[in-house]
Amino acid sequence: MTKLSVICGKASEDLGEKLAKKVNANLVKSDVRVFPDGESKITLKGNISKIKSVVVQSFYPPVDTNLIQALSMISKVKETSSEVIAVIPYMGYARQDREFLPGEVITMKVLAKLFKGAGASKIIAVDIHSLIGLKHFTIKTKNISAIPDLAIYFKKLSLKNPLIVSPDQGGKERAKEFAKQMEIDYIALDKKRDRKTGKVEIKTKKVDVVGRDLILVDDMISTGGSIINATKFLKKEKCGRVFVACTHALLMNDAGKKIKKSGVTKIVSTNTIPGKTSIVDVSNTIAKAIV
Ligand code: R5P
């Protein structure tokens, strides 16, 4: 009898396959058809464990399509498995974790109800934007960090007097952890975002980075605005090369190109979102959280 099965959604197929191997589970793939009107039709291919199953699916764009596919797979798997763990390598909507302006919907609250309702008994996320998002869930949750995996990659590069930089104060702890792993120092810039327009601005006046290679660390890159502003500021301060380390590289539209144009040497991200920059594999870290 299959003790553990890993069901991978289309958005996390490669990561799901790697994970299944690492936890020695039966791999169940999903066959997905998206109809012209946008509806998803999913067929699971393989034997689902009656005991425990892990459904792996990120929800990067198309966010709502990938989200409904995750919920649908969980619901189907729950018909067979008594325990269903939802591994969400990239959790979309995580920035909507509180009411910043009156009347705003806290979408993370809605997700908490949806995942419970679908049949998940536990959520595992990787570097969720903020732990506040997980507080809305009434089922078990766990956030795991990809920082050690990213740090292993950067330790192998030969960098000149490197320094870790967070583009904002919100990422200070992340930068601190990265710096600890790399046994180097860190700083955090002051970033201000206009809540209405989304425009970002660096408020820090001066930093001592002359000639130093910098690693800008963030949980995610969406439009690239945060990274571009930070890089322009750091370049003015006469730093050396700027590398970017992030867990989730959404890189919307031509964000990758714009970031390079601002002076970034390389963007390194993880496979929570597959893409050109996702060179760091987090399957081992997720596997450790499951077994
Ligand atoms: C914000 O607090 C996050 O940690 C990221 O810095 C932000 O979401 C990145 O978005 P963008 O690339 O659009 O600036």
Side-chain angles (χ1 to χ4, degrees), residues 105-122:
V105 174
I106 304 170
T107 311
M108 285 304 284
K109 243 188 199 176
V110 184
L111 290 198
K113 290 179 199 162
L114 289 172
F115 276 90
K116 187 181 181 186
S121 47
K122 185 176 180 178

Side-chain angles (χ1 to χ4, degrees), residues 1-15:
M1 191 173 51
T2 315
K3 279 198 184 137
L4 176 67
S5 44
V6 168
I7 296 90
C8 54
K10 273 282 174 275
S12 299
E13 206 164 47
D14 182 60
L15 182 54

Side-chain angles (χ1 to χ4, degrees), residues 3-4 20 26 44-45 54 59 63-64 71 75 89 131 142 147 198 201 206 209 228 255:
K3 279 198 184 137
L4 176 67
N26 180 50
L44 300 182
K45 302 273 183 189
V54 177
F59 27 107
V63 176
D64 294 342
L71 293 165
S75 175
L131 291 176
K142 191 180 175 84
I147 295 296
E201 223 186 313
K206 188 100 204 86
V209 293
I228 291 167

